[in-house]
Amino acid sequence: MDISKSDHVKQRKEKQSILQQFKRNVRMHKHSYILMAPYFSLFFLFTVLPVIISIVVSFTYFNMLELPRWVGWQNYARLFLEDDVFLIALKNTFLFAAITGPLSYIACFVFAWIINEFSPKIRAFLTLIFFAPSISGNIFFIWLIIFSGDSYGYANGFLMKLGIIYEPIQWLQDPQYVLAIVMFVQLWLSLGTAFLAFIAGLQNIDVTLYEAGAIDGVKNRWQDLWYITLPSMRPQLMFGAVIQITMSFSVADVSMAIAGFPSVQYAAHTVVTHLIDYGSIRFEMGYASAIATILFLMMMTTNLITQRLLRKVGE
Amino acid sequence: MSIAKKGVSKRKKRLNRSWFGTLMLFSFIGLFGAFMALPLIYTINNAFKPLDEIFLFPPRFFVRNPTFTNFADLANLMANSWVPFTRYMFNTVFITAVGTAGHIIFSAAAAYPLAKHKFPGSNVLFGIVVLSLMFSPHVTAIPNYMTMSVLGWVDSYWAVIVPSFAFPLGLYLMKQFMEQIPDSILEASRIDGASEYRIFWKIVMPIVKPAWLTLMILLFQQLWGTDGGNFIYSEELKTMHYALGQIIQGGIARAGAAAAVALMLMSVPIIVFLFSQASIIQTMSSSGMKD
């Protein structure tokens, strides 16, 4: 089959130039392009083009009123050399990426793995319970009530009743606690798309693989997990990693809702909240674009490196 | 059904677990399940608490004397407000419904050729979509604001709705799911003389119904909780989530009404998920990234 096909292609290549063939190919697939046109024109307008604009604008001074003025690397120099708040934001964002990122990823997998052990009805119920926080709108504000600074807050009420503390702790006004609480809420919200992908991936693993494994000397569940389960669902693991990494780098709504904006001593300030500060409050679009460009580079690098690493799972 | 059956047969054939292991498993999942569910149960309970229970000290978790006064309060409060509450509700429902419907149709139309035809540029286009999953919409927020102001869409629904048509995740999942459709079905209709558009609309679309539901849930995540962001300024265009924020700002006097709105906001996506779970899991099984 293959040989005759490639022969055929070779013959055709001799007859017509590559350009003509390309044109013919495009014409033949006209309907494909027409079907894709609406989606991709919007996709380019709202996703691809903005990335390019953002990179270009990051080298200018632009306030939406005057025309942009080219300033070279000045915005970047200011970010890293003069803007102390940005450095705090950068530190916090890396903390989120290093702590909530991997933790949420592992949580997605571990819970999916355990849930998969139950019968279908219980499984459906548990999936609903664990997935619900991530889709229930911005309901995370109820953590505000739980961590409320007066004695009506549940956390304070509970700890005072147990006699661990004697006066209410100002959870959300104390830089000591704020970042940890935002991380905690972020983790609570993070069993989303990746979690569902893992559940689906686990259900689709070929049963005969486990039987073959048992014959080949797999002794316990941990070996089952490492040699059979993880490699079988590598595609889902890679997909889940992209979702969780992107999520952990873009913490903003939760931080702003829980810790306030700006938070106490910028304790829960992230790169995205810094971006929102300059982009939609101060309207320093050039500077904000520089922040966006750095965010873009951070997310892409981390994602591409992780993809590389995950390809090695179970090898 | 087939998925459920597979699960059962798998468990029987796999290595056995000790009773201790089972106990650990149950307590682990029970503990974390409670942690995940507590705030949700709390929201449900709070919505039915009379005011004296909401402000009880020390706070009590469960409701003793359930009442509907909070909902009545909310109705009162909203009847007297400048913009009626039903308007906020309409805005949220309109944005979510139009955004979701448009997203499903647009991304399915683009996913079909990508999944089932090889044509110049198909790999590059899909590659760009996969790359775009790797950064969040925050990156594009500023240029998008400029685009919206050029288009004159600032302070209208469209600034929120139209970009949602082209979210990359939906196209990605749709395309991966469509790859499972057997080529023979499409080939048969092609021989019958159906055009590509007809095949897409009459054959492919009905087959990928599970993926519709998945995209719906994803868009719910994005749109149901939106407060209009930087785009919507007019009071009469604002969403339910924004209204909730305003009510909470009202502080202690509004705690009951806030609890009622919170319940309303929370329950809709959960109910949608409740009925679409099986389809969503089915779609997600093809979500993997290939090397």
Side-chain angles (χ1 to χ4, degrees):
Chain A
M1 261 306 272
D2 259 336
I3 297 165
S4 70
K5 211 176 180 181
S6 67
D7 273 349
H8 187 65
V9 171
K10 260 183 208 163
Q11 276 171 7
R12 257 208 317 206
K13 262 186 191 164
E14 282 162 13
K15 277 177 199 160
Q16 51 181 186
S17 75
I18 297 170
L19 186 72
Q20 270 175 323
Q21 199 191 338
F22 179 77
K23 273 186 184 163
R24 222 179 72 116
N25 226 334
V26 169
R27 218 173 303 130
M28 208 173 76
H29 289 285
K30 200 180 71 189
H31 48 259
S32 294
Y33 295 107
I34 292 175
L35 278 172
M36 293 191 314
Y39 179 91
F40 274 98
S41 41
L42 289 177
F43 177 74
F44 276 97
L45 181 62
F46 293 116
T47 303
V48 179
L49 191 66
V51 171
I52 298 162
I53 294 180
S54 185
I55 293 171
V56 174
V57 173
S58 76
F59 291 102
T60 65
Y61 174 83
F62 184 37
N63 55 15
M64 298 275 294
L65 298 171
E66 305 161 277
L67 282 176
R69 178 162 50 80
W70 191 262
V71 294
W73 292 96
Q74 198 183 303
N75 286 327
Y76 292 95
R78 191 177 141 202
L79 266 179
F80 286 103
L81 302 176
E82 290 168 35
D83 193 344
D84 292 339
V85 177
F86 176 70
L87 296 181
I88 297 175
L90 204 59
K91 186 203 80 191
N92 288 338
T93 302
F94 277 122
L95 281 176
F96 275 109
I99 298 171
T100 58
L103 269 184
S104 70
Y105 185 61
I106 293 168
C108 281
F109 182 78
V110 169
F111 289 127
W113 192 44
I114 295 176
I115 284 173
N116 196 43
E117 298 283 315
F118 292 95
S119 66
K121 269 192 186 147
I122 301 178
R123 187 161 63 207
F125 174 72
L126 287 173
T127 308
L128 177 71
I129 295 283
F130 280 82
F131 182 65
S134 75
I135 43 162
S136 42
N138 294 354
I139 214 69
F140 52 75
F141 77 88
I142 47 174
W143 291 101
L144 279 177
I145 302 162
I146 293 174
F147 285 111
S148 162
D150 50 32
S151 49
Y152 289 107
Y154 281 74
N156 279 332
F158 184 67
L159 290 175
M160 281 163 84
K161 204 173 158 193
L162 289 182
I164 295 173
I165 55 172
Y166 297 102
E167 50 188 53
I169 295 177
Q170 298 283 321
W171 298 106
L172 303 173
Q173 276 76 47
D174 191 333
Q176 213 185 325
Y177 299 113
V178 157
L179 186 65
I181 290 173
V182 174
M183 282 183 174
F184 177 81
V185 176
Q186 185 68 29
L187 278 174
W188 180 71
L189 281 168
S190 63
L191 294 180
T193 316
F195 171 66
L196 295 182
F198 291 169
I199 289 180
L202 283 164
Q203 286 177 8
N204 278 7
I205 295 174
D206 188 358
V207 190
T208 54
L209 285 177
Y210 290 103
E211 293 162 15
I215 295 165
D216 286 348
V218 166
K219 284 189 210 79
N220 54 42
R221 274 171 179 266
W222 303 110
Q223 291 187 343
D224 239 13
L225 176 70
W226 183 252
Y227 291 110
I228 299 164
T229 312
L230 287 180
S232 308
M233 52 183 292
R234 192 177 342 175
Q236 272 87 14
L237 289 176
M238 290 168 71
F239 171 68
V242 169
I243 303 287
Q244 295 308 111
I245 290 170
T246 310
M247 198 196 273
S248 66
F249 269 106
S250 53
V251 178
D253 291 348
V254 177
S255 165
M256 283 158 69
I258 299 288
F261 180 56
S263 45
V264 191
Q265 294 179 14
Y266 297 105
H269 206 58
T270 66
V271 173
V272 178
T273 55
H274 205 56
L275 170 65
I276 292 169
D277 186 3
Y278 279 90
S280 40
I281 295 174
R282 304 185 202 208
F283 281 94
E284 287 193 37
M285 295 312 201
Y287 196 61
S289 295
I291 301 172
T293 305
I294 288 170
L295 182 70
F296 172 73
L297 292 175
M298 284 188 334
M299 286 174 170
M300 289 301 273
T301 333
T302 317
N303 264 309
L304 293 172
I305 292 173
T306 313
Q307 293 293 302
R308 277 271 170 88
L309 292 176
L310 282 175
R311 267 182 209 152
K312 296 201 173 101
V313 167
E315 267 176 9
Chain B
M1 265 317 274
S2 68
I3 290 171
K5 267 183 200 160
K6 235 191 251 172
V8 170
S9 63
K10 185 172 85 186
R11 208 165 312 102
K12 274 180 190 162
K13 277 166 192 163
R14 280 180 70 171
L15 299 161
N16 283 321
R17 208 170 35 221
S18 66
W19 65 267
F20 182 71
T22 313
L23 186 74
M24 288 294 287
L25 216 59
F26 267 95
S27 27
F28 185 77
I29 209 80
L31 196 71
F32 279 95
F35 165 66
M36 296 305 278
L38 271 184
L40 305 178
I41 298 169
Y42 170 81
T43 311
I44 297 168
N45 271 292
N46 239 22
F48 296 103
K49 275 181 193 168
L51 272 184
D52 58 321
E53 280 191 49
I54 290 182
F55 292 109
L56 199 65
F57 181 82
R60 197 195 297 136
F61 204 81
F62 291 103
V63 55
R64 281 276 165 83
N65 307 304
T67 127
F68 280 96
T69 35
N70 290 334
F71 292 93
D73 277 358
L74 176 68
N76 263 334
L77 177 67
M78 286 307 174
N80 296 330
S81 71
W82 175 44
V83 175
F85 188 64
T86 43
R87 181 65 203 240
Y88 293 116
M89 255 159 109
F90 169 81
N91 293 338
T92 293
V93 172
F94 182 80
I95 288 174
T96 311
V98 177
T100 308
H103 179 61
I104 290 171
I105 294 170
F106 279 36
S107 54
Y112 167 57
L114 286 174
K116 285 296 166 195
H117 296 282
K118 278 280 152 271
F119 53 88
S122 59
N123 289 334
V124 177
L125 284 176
F126 190 62
I128 294 175
V129 171
V130 172
L131 282 181
S132 71
L133 291 176
M134 298 185 180
F135 57 85
S136 70
H138 299 110
V139 170
T140 56
I142 289 167
N144 276 348
Y145 185 82
M146 299 180 203
T147 312
M148 292 304 169
S149 71
V150 171
L151 291 172
W153 283 355
V154 173
D155 205 20
S156 78
Y157 296 129
W158 305 112
V160 181
I161 293 175
V162 176
S164 76
F165 289 166
F167 278 141
L169 187 57
L171 173 74
Y172 172 81
L173 290 173
M174 197 55 124
K175 186 252 180 190
Q176 300 295 72
F177 190 68
M178 278 183 185
E179 282 189 339
Q180 298 176 325
I181 300 173
D183 285 324
S184 53
I185 299 179
L186 307 178
E187 208 49 55
S189 355
R190 234 164 259 149
I191 291 165
D192 288 346
S195 70
E196 284 298 320
Y197 312 108
R198 207 182 146 74
I199 293 174
F200 163 67
W201 193 247
K202 292 278 175 190
I203 294 165
V204 176
M205 275 305 255
I207 296 178
V208 297
K209 248 182 209 153
W212 300 3
L213 293 168
T214 310
L215 267 56
M216 198 169 131
I217 273 290
L218 292 176
L219 265 259
F220 246 99
Q221 245 169 332
Q222 305 267 357
L223 296 179
W224 185 258
T226 188
D227 54 1
N230 295 320
F231 292 125
I232 296 179
Y233 299 108
S234 304
E235 194 62 31
E236 68 270 19
L237 296 180
K238 293 212 162 169
T239 63
M240 214 152 75
H241 180 254
Y242 170 82
L244 172 65
Q246 292 300 300
I247 296 168
I248 292 174
Q249 298 285 314
I252 292 171
R254 299 278 177 257
V261 184
L263 180 67
M264 287 165 71
L265 266 175
M266 182 188 84
S267 45
V268 175
I270 291 182
I271 289 167
V272 172
F273 181 71
L274 195 66
F275 290 107
S276 55
Q277 192 186 7
S279 303
I280 291 169
I281 298 289
Q282 200 187 334
T283 316
M284 287 295 174
S285 65
S286 61
S287 68
M289 284 188 174
K290 283 147 207 160
D291 294 302

